[in-house]
Amino acid sequence: MTSLRGLKGRHLLTLLDYSPDEVKLILEVSRELKLRHYYGERVVPVHLGKTLMLIFEKPSTRTRVSLEVAAKQLGMNVVYASAHELQLGRGEPIKDTVRVLSRYVDCIAARVFAHESLEEMARYSSVPVINALSNKYHPLQALADALTLWETRGRLSKLKIAFVGDCSNNVATSLAVIGAKLGWEVRLVGPRDLHPGSKLVEMLVEDLRRTGAQIVITENLEEGVKGVDAVYTDVWVSMGFEHEAEKRRRVLEPYRVTMKVMELAGPDAVFMHCLPARRGEEVSDEVIESPRSVVWQQAENRLHTSKAVLALLVP
Ligand code: CP
Ligand code: NVA
């Protein structure tokens, strides 16, 4: 059996190194904490007096605020600094910064441009480092997505999810990772130029074998969304990719999620988006505002899944 104690002190950079049972455990604890929150239990002071440090190189609404509120509800203090407010912005090496900060705080969550920055933080930090989004992965988002699917579909396994659009981005990649852990069929549907590299499936081979999950990569929108439990999309131009905006908008134009796409998916499919959304670009206003949209529930679940992650990982 997966031990709760086994997660203490662990970094959370990609979820790749978490077993299916460990992922399920985080989701079970998220559900429990959400239930308690609904009963009015705002404070679960398991980390009283400990401190979470947030370092952000890019803007954030959901990740920053949900982590901050989650930490405070666990009894923690929170210190926030954008990277340019730290000496990091003037060139102090990451390895020096992190060796200092991990003597002050109990956990560091960072949003970075280059995933390698997080890897360096994790190498030098003596406290857990949590990925609050990098160019490659967004594991906290994937956990909230899985909780939302569990709640809306009534099960956590044997789900079929179509991610439509930029399948090379952080959100699509983390959805594929968590899907592989939980036995889903994840269809990545988008233009060939924005398919994930072959490395993604290679890294997940063992999980796919173990859980029976499948990753299907296709350019065919109609076949890709047919019969799925959820259609998921994200912005066409992620933070840090603004220089490719024009080309991305051109190749992604046929992949906008409209009501017609939702009809192709079938009557039961829900619509998902990590937010922020650009209405009229990757999704129509009609879809995101429709009763099939679960985007607010996804955003809400960021609080409960982040709280579970902090509760379990912070030593
Ligand atoms: N979904 C998400 O990570 O949103 P923020 O960029 O607002 O944190
Ligand atoms: N793929 C988007 C996600 C934002 C939460 C980005 O990286 O900008």
Side-chain angles (χ1 to χ4, degrees), residues 12-13 52-58 63 67 81 88 98 107-113 117-118 121 128-134 137 140:
L12 175 50
L13 301 195
L52 170 69
M53 172 94 211
L54 299 172
I55 304 174
F56 279 55
E57 292 180 356
K58 310 183 204 181
T63 310
L67 276 168
L88 257 182
V98 161
C107 182
I108 298 171
R111 172 168 285 199
V112 299
F113 281 99
S117 302
L118 282 170
M121 284 183 190
V129 173
I130 295 174
N131 180 358
L133 180 146
S134 71
Y137 298 95
L140 292 178

Side-chain angles (χ1 to χ4, degrees), residues 43 93 176 213 259:
V43 186
M259 273 302 180

Side-chain angles (χ1 to χ4, degrees), residues 41-81:
E41 198 174 338
R42 287 292 180 277
V43 186
V44 184
V46 294
H47 292 318
L48 209 56
K50 296 179 190 170
T51 301
L52 170 69
M53 172 94 211
L54 299 172
I55 304 174
F56 279 55
E57 292 180 356
K58 310 183 204 181
S60 168
T61 298
R62 281 142 287 268
T63 310
R64 176 185 170 176
V65 178
S66 60
L67 276 168
E68 190 157 340
V69 172
K72 288 186 173 159
Q73 292 186 350
L74 295 172
M76 301 179 79
N77 306 305
V78 181
V79 179
Y80 173 89

